[in-house]
Amino acid sequence: MDFNLPADLTAYLAELDRFIEREIKPLEEADDNIRFFDHRREWARTDFDKGGLPRHEWELLLRKAKNLADAAGHLRFAIPKRYGGKDGSNLWMAVIREHFASKGLGLHNDLQNEHSIVGNLPIVTMLDRYGTDEQKAMIDGSITGKYRITFGLTEPEHGSDATHMETRAVQATRDNVKGWIINGEKMWTTGMHVATHCALFARTSGNDGDARGISCFLVPAKSAGVKVEEYMWTFNMPTDHPRVSFTDVFVPEDAQFGEVGRGLSLAQCFVHENRIRQAASSLGAAVYCINESVKYARERKPFGKALAENQAIQWPLVELATQAEMLRLLIRKTAWEMDQLTQAQVEHTLSDRVSMCNFWANRLCCEAADRAMQVHGGMGYSRHKPFEHIYRHHRRYRITEGSEEIQKRKVAGFLFGYMGAGKH
């Protein structure tokens, strides 16, 4: 088996690097935009006068970078050619995401809000696989910013346990139009402040705990009865994570997204591609922290002796570097296998591997960032270095989406045979 990256992939990485230097870096350095990435980043990005929401200038800058990337043919890399993409594989995306994150903070790729010049666009995949012709017509607009579709799955009382959701949708007719009336509440509905629609999951049949009986609806964000109750201030700011209530919200039948009662298939479609790429990004951020620590340890000479000569500095970094190398192989192998299988096959035979990659990469990144802060001493934990930002973001990953507990539960399900084929 050849473990070397294909020549066309390494050539594309070089092309992306040239594009970053030619078009993204100048934008990052113009008009003091570097304030969004240096020690001022949290304050520059956060509009505290508007409840902690992202500043308009920050989001506008991200949009400018995406537009440049789209014009250059990079933003849509991972989506089908019929939508202007390049049919990019999960393996290539994993390599690209690691490569970008290993460069550190920058306008080319910002993990706090999943921004990248090579877009991670799971909503496009959902629309393509499950949408009606009218819904598929939203794909281009969801890339260019005309549409912003949020993800309404998590609930205040149930967290990552989607099968016990209390949001309900019942069939109804209003003004001679057949449709659904939806009541419930969602949490962490990221991006609702600029959303045009919410992909809202609600139980339409069955009992609490049943995987079947949950449906998804594309609900216009300005519908009567949709209300942002509060924005949750989080571990890392700004926040675009609200608690949203849905009170007697009526949607017509054509708002149905995917098959009635099979809504969790859409959620899984979103999750698997998102989490293998998230794992690759976490690995890249860990590699950045490790490399910066090694570099600093060689340069820093307290008491006339380089830090790098101390085994107390060497050994933890050796362990982290070893874990990174092993994790890289697992992520790339898993991503390659995902490319060979259908979504249903991934769910039944490979889902545990995706979970392994996800929770271990998040943990590794936190440990690498924590070690980098220690190696760099006083400046290490200041905001003049990026390590605290990386630590907080990836520590959040370990908490949100059930990334630590839920991923382990899935691995255990495969390991002990009550999920998938029990192949281990």
Side-chain angles (χ1 to χ4, degrees):
M1 183 179 291
D2 185 0
F3 289 97
N4 294 317
L5 294 179
D8 50 351
L9 174 51
T10 56
Y12 189 54
L13 293 177
E15 180 183 341
L16 289 168
D17 287 343
R18 290 191 295 271
F19 170 74
I20 291 170
E21 291 301 317
R22 185 177 67 251
E23 300 197 44
I24 300 301
K25 279 293 184 182
L27 179 59
E28 180 182 300
E29 294 166 357
D31 302 320
D32 196 32
N33 288 330
I34 199 65
R35 70 189 186 278
F36 295 113
F37 303 99
D38 65 16
H39 64 280
R40 301 167 290 173
R41 53 190 167 264
E42 190 167 47
W43 295 93
R45 297 179 182 193
T46 306
D47 192 337
F48 291 100
D49 293 330
K50 292 185 178 179
L53 285 170
R55 290 191 189 276
H56 176 68
E57 296 86 352
W58 166 232
E59 295 191 312
L60 183 62
L61 178 64
L62 298 180
R63 185 70 256 169
K64 288 180 179 179
K66 286 185 174 74
N67 290 344
L68 288 173
D70 202 11
H74 300 311
L75 184 67
R76 306 184 189 213
F77 170 82
I79 66 174
K81 290 181 179 178
R82 59 184 173 276
Y83 301 121
K86 297 182 179 180
D87 288 325
S89 67
N90 282 299
L91 174 59
W92 278 48
M93 280 295 286
V95 173
I96 291 168
R97 297 287 287 204
E98 180 193 342
H99 179 71
F100 280 175
S102 68
K103 292 176 175 289
L105 303 186
L107 186 54
H108 66 288
N109 191 74
D110 193 88
L111 300 179
Q112 185 176 3
N113 53 10
E114 281 298 314
H115 161 78
S116 180
I117 59 169
V118 176
N120 184 28
L121 305 167
I123 288 290
V124 171
T125 304
M126 290 171 62
L127 288 169
D128 182 42
R129 291 182 182 175
Y130 298 100
T132 63
D133 288 342
E134 291 76 13
Q135 291 166 348
K136 289 179 181 179
M138 300 172 67
I139 286 177
D140 189 72
S142 72
I143 300 169
T144 62
K146 178 181 178 180
Y147 299 115
R148 173 67 187 270
I149 302 173
T150 64
F151 199 65
L153 181 65
T154 303
E155 296 193 350
E157 298 301 321
H158 300 287
S160 298
D161 184 5
T163 62
H164 282 81
M165 68 175 58
E166 296 179 23
T167 301
R168 295 289 190 268
V170 296
Q171 289 181 310
T173 299
R174 181 174 290 180
D175 298 329
N176 295 319
V177 177
K178 292 183 178 181
W180 301 80
I181 291 179
I182 306 173
N183 283 278
E185 197 171 52
K186 297 295 180 178
M187 285 278 283
W188 314 115
T189 317
T190 304
M192 199 67 184
H193 67 297
V194 291
T196 58
H197 297 76
C198 176
L200 180 63
F201 293 82
R203 183 165 291 284
T204 51
S205 65
N207 301 310
D208 289 343
D210 292 345
R212 292 286 184 95
I214 293 172
S215 304
C216 187
F217 303 89
L218 276 182
V219 179
K222 302 301 182 183
S223 298
V226 178
K227 181 183 179 182
V228 173
E229 298 288 349
E230 62 177 327
Y231 282 94
M232 312 301 295
W233 284 39
T234 57
F235 197 38
N236 49 344
M237 296 291 282
T239 178
D240 57 353
H241 312 300
R243 178 170 59 89
V244 185
S245 63
F246 300 83
T247 306
D248 293 332
V249 176
F250 178 81
V251 293
E253 287 183 331
D254 60 9
Q256 179 185 321
F257 191 12
E259 184 181 345
V260 171
R262 300 295 297 271
L264 287 187
S265 295
L266 280 77
Q268 292 296 339
C269 171
F270 182 98
V271 162
H272 283 109
E273 285 191 3
N274 200 47
R275 285 182 173 161
I276 193 66
R277 295 167 186 177
Q278 184 189 94
S281 295
S282 296
L283 170 62
V287 169
Y288 170 79
C289 293
I290 293 167
N291 290 342
E292 288 296 302
S293 297
V294 170
K295 178 182 175 182
Y296 182 79
R298 288 172 170 169
E299 296 171 350
R300 181 70 168 167
K301 296 181 179 179
F303 311 108
K305 181 181 179 182
L307 283 175
E309 296 181 29
N310 299 322
Q311 290 183 348
I313 297 294
Q314 294 175 359
W315 282 184
L317 292 173
V318 166
E319 291 189 9
L320 290 170
T322 302
Q323 291 177 35
E325 288 293 332
M326 292 189 293
L327 180 61
R328 179 178 295 112
L329 292 176
L330 178 61
I331 289 174
R332 292 181 180 179
K333 179 176 183 292
T334 303
W336 178 82
E337 290 178 325
M338 289 176 67
D339 291 329
Q340 317 307 311
L341 303 175
T342 66
Q343 180 191 330
Q345 290 172 326
V346 169
E347 176 62 23
H348 288 95
T349 66
L350 203 61
S351 188
D352 61 328
R353 212 80 56 75
V354 175
S355 292
M356 289 178 185
C357 293
N358 185 269
F359 88 78
W360 195 257
N362 292 335
R363 179 183 293 185
L364 175 64
C365 187
C366 286
E367 292 177 355
D370 180 70
R371 177 55 55 181
M373 285 188 275
Q374 294 181 52
V375 171
H376 283 76
M379 289 298 291
Y381 77 92
S382 78
R383 295 189 178 185
H384 292 263
K385 294 291 183 180
F387 308 124
E388 59 81 31
H389 179 84
I390 293 171
Y391 176 85
R392 286 188 292 126
H393 174 69
H394 291 273
R395 189 67 182 88
R396 186 201 76 181
Y397 267 167
R398 294 180 65 183
I399 300 168
T400 60
E401 307 173 45
S403 290
E404 188 91 352
E405 177 189 353
I406 297 301
Q407 302 317 307
K408 287 183 178 180
R409 283 167 62 91
K410 184 166 286 188
V411 174
F414 277 73
L415 185 64
F416 293 101
Y418 58 86
M419 289 178 64
K423 63 182 181 300
H424 299 301

